[in-house]
Amino acid sequence: MRKKPMRIALLGLGTVGFGVYEFVQARKDMELACALSLVVPEGVTCPIAKNLDEILRDETIDTVVEVIGGLHPAYEFVSSALKAGKNVVTANKLLIAAHYRELVTLAKENGVALRCTAAAGGGIPWLTSLERTAAQEPILRVSGIMNGTTNFILDTMHRSGGSFTDALQEAQRLGYAERDPADDLNGADIRRKLVISSNIAYGCVIDEGEVATEGIEHITGADIAAFKRMNRVCKLIAASRKLENGVAAYIEPALMPPSMPESAIPQNYNLISLTGEHIGKQSFYGQGAGRYPTAYNVLQDCVDIANGVRGFYTDRLEEAHVDNSSVQRQYYVRTNGMDKWLQSHVDKILDCGIITDKVSVTELHNWAKHRRETDPGCFFASLR
């Protein structure tokens, strides 16, 4: 017996939403029941819903796809859809990271699917790979490049020797960076992806506010020149590992030898890795953002639901605190002078900064937070 087509309500017709619209229109096993959007692009022919209640009352709609972005009204829309017994597919990392436990619980209580593969990794099948691995064996670590905007900026600065401002403007010109790129540059975007990834990998729930986060907004061309003399490549790296009691989780610029796979990742691409207890390290490479890569994973989630997937990637929701005190590294630090703490941890003095002896991630990030009160442009990067 032939299955009825999946009937989808599409919330949002922006960059990703229009990509989803195009993909669904080309399929025979799915159909757009309606879309809900403040702006309707030219060429959209599906019905336009007046409000969310119209969608919730329609019993023929089984799946709601949310690609509005932001926290509100996305939170109200998604939670209402789950309570109404409809499957939800979303690309909204801000929403999932902020309301992880509540939304996963709602999906389970209502016997519906909640999938967000496009929220971490764009077009990379990252979260589904975590799901499959975690079902088979313990995942010990998650790490990698999870933001295409910052990778493009760092790659451009390394290749051109130009300034941070020039690289950012080029990223914006090419559409890799938003008009307001703050969440990319300060690490907030990558932090949300790391939270979601870690929760799925370890079957836990960590607080986003506990994740130590340093972005690249303070890096300069002089820093890049120093890294080249050190024969190192700078990348913004997210990392977490399962501890006996809790999780270590942090984001920071890292200086890597050219031989490391992450060093070779160009332009706006991502490279994300998991380390399993028996399979070791596996890495996933691809475009981490963009209309069609992101819309591809939204559609893949819909296909999985049509094929019988229910629930979330995990139903384990163990409370876990973040503790980075056991992770020790050397750091490159550039600041406008020495203070007592820094002077006590000098390993080597460079022409534009210093290399510290081994200190914990917790200690260095706390120092930098206080140092910025007197030196707002202070920059640091760990040595790998």
Side-chain angles (χ1 to χ4, degrees), residues 118 120-125 145-148 176 193 265-272 284-294 296-297:
I124 302 170
I145 298 167
M146 297 186 182
N147 182 278
Y176 297 150
K193 295 171 183 175
I265 302 306
Q267 298 189 336
N268 65 326
Y269 284 83
N270 288 189
L271 181 73
I272 319 175
F284 302 81
Y285 170 81
Q287 290 210 353
R291 168 176 287 174
Y292 294 118
T294 305
Y296 166 83
N297 258 341

Side-chain angles (χ1 to χ4, degrees), residues 2-328:
R2 187 177 178 183
K3 291 193 299 184
K4 291 183 179 179
M6 170 183 276
R7 281 180 55 81
I8 295 170
L10 178 59
L11 310 184
L13 280 167
T15 299
V16 175
F18 192 71
V20 173
Y21 171 85
E22 291 180 288
F23 281 161
V24 173
Q25 293 291 77
R27 300 184 67 99
K28 294 182 179 179
D29 58 345
M30 298 176 187
E31 57 185 32
L32 277 171
C34 62
L36 180 62
S37 179
L38 293 176
V39 177
V40 181
E42 186 178 346
V44 171
T45 58
C46 69
I48 304 300
K50 296 183 179 65
N51 51 53
L52 184 69
D53 286 341
E54 185 178 326
I55 292 169
L56 300 181
R57 289 195 304 266
D58 189 338
E59 295 182 0
T60 70
I61 295 173
D62 49 74
T63 302
V64 172
V65 172
E66 184 274 310
V67 283
I68 300 170
L71 204 51
H72 302 288
Y75 165 72
E76 290 78 12
F77 286 0
V78 166
S79 56
S80 296
L82 293 170
K83 290 174 185 176
K86 299 188 186 297
N87 304 307
V88 170
V89 175
T90 178
N92 194 332
K93 52 190 161 288
L94 173 61
L95 171 65
I96 297 297
H99 295 283
Y100 185 89
R101 183 186 294 276
E102 178 188 354
L103 296 178
V104 173
T105 301
L106 272 178
K108 185 176 182 180
E109 288 175 348
N110 290 280
V112 293
L114 171 63
R115 309 296 283 185
C116 60
T117 306
I124 302 170
W126 166 241
L127 297 185
T128 51
S129 298
L130 283 177
E131 177 184 32
R132 293 182 65 182
T133 304
Q136 173 66 22
E137 63 171 303
I139 296 176
L140 307 179
R141 290 185 176 127
V142 166
S143 66
I145 298 167
M146 297 186 182
N147 182 278
T149 300
T150 50
N151 196 67
F152 178 88
I153 290 170
L154 292 172
D155 182 55
T156 300
M157 291 179 73
H158 271 282
R159 285 187 293 102
S160 70
S163 70
F164 174 84
T165 300
D166 289 344
L168 171 58
Q169 289 176 347
E170 179 68 1
Q172 290 173 320
R173 186 184 71 81
L174 294 172
Y176 297 150
E178 302 286 346
R179 183 175 298 177
D180 178 5
D183 281 358
D184 292 317
L185 302 182
N186 65 24
D189 173 85
I190 196 171
R191 182 177 64 232
R192 293 160 192 152
K193 295 171 183 175
L194 183 64
V195 166
I196 297 167
S197 301
S198 300
N199 286 350
I200 293 170
Y202 314 129
C204 67
V205 181
I206 60 175
D207 183 347
E208 184 182 342
E210 294 183 0
V211 178
T213 306
E214 177 72 9
I216 66 165
E217 67 265 54
H218 302 297
I219 199 169
T220 67
D223 293 319
I224 296 291
F227 305 155
K228 288 181 178 180
R229 291 192 292 273
M230 296 164 63
N231 196 31
R232 299 272 178 155
V233 177
C234 186
K235 296 292 184 180
L236 185 60
I237 298 294
S240 72
R241 68 173 68 168
K242 186 75 174 71
L243 305 175
E244 189 172 341
N245 294 301
V247 174
Y250 53 95
I251 295 107
E252 60 189 19
L255 306 183
M256 301 183 155
S259 58
M260 292 190 71
E262 288 83 357
S263 298
I265 302 306
Q267 298 189 336
N268 65 326
Y269 284 83
N270 288 189
L271 181 73
I272 319 175
S273 302
L274 65 85
T275 302
E277 187 173 66
H278 298 103
I279 62 171
K281 187 175 181 178
Q282 292 192 338
S283 298
F284 302 81
Y285 170 81
Q287 290 210 353
R291 168 176 287 174
Y292 294 118
T294 305
Y296 166 83
N297 258 341
V298 170
L299 255 292
Q300 189 58 57
D301 280 344
C302 292
V303 171
D304 289 344
I305 292 170
N307 289 334
V309 167
R310 289 293 177 269
F312 193 62
Y313 306 86
T314 177
D315 57 5
R316 293 171 55 208
L317 298 168
E318 299 169 9
E319 194 72 32
H321 290 289
V322 175
D323 181 3
N324 295 317
S325 60
S326 64
V327 185
Q328 303 268 326

Side-chain angles (χ1 to χ4, degrees), residues 158 222-234 254-259 263 330-334 347-356 379-384:
H158 271 282
D223 293 319
I224 296 291
F227 305 155
K228 288 181 178 180
R229 291 192 292 273
M230 296 164 63
N231 196 31
R232 299 272 178 155
V233 177
C234 186
L255 306 183
M256 301 183 155
S259 58
S263 298
Q330 286 187 281
Y331 283 87
Y332 164 93
V333 174
R334 190 236 326 125
D347 178 67
K348 187 185 300 182
I349 296 179
L350 305 175
D351 55 352
C352 64
I354 72 157
I355 303 297
T356 71
F379 175 79
F380 69 84
S382 62
L383 273 64
R384 303 295 177 101

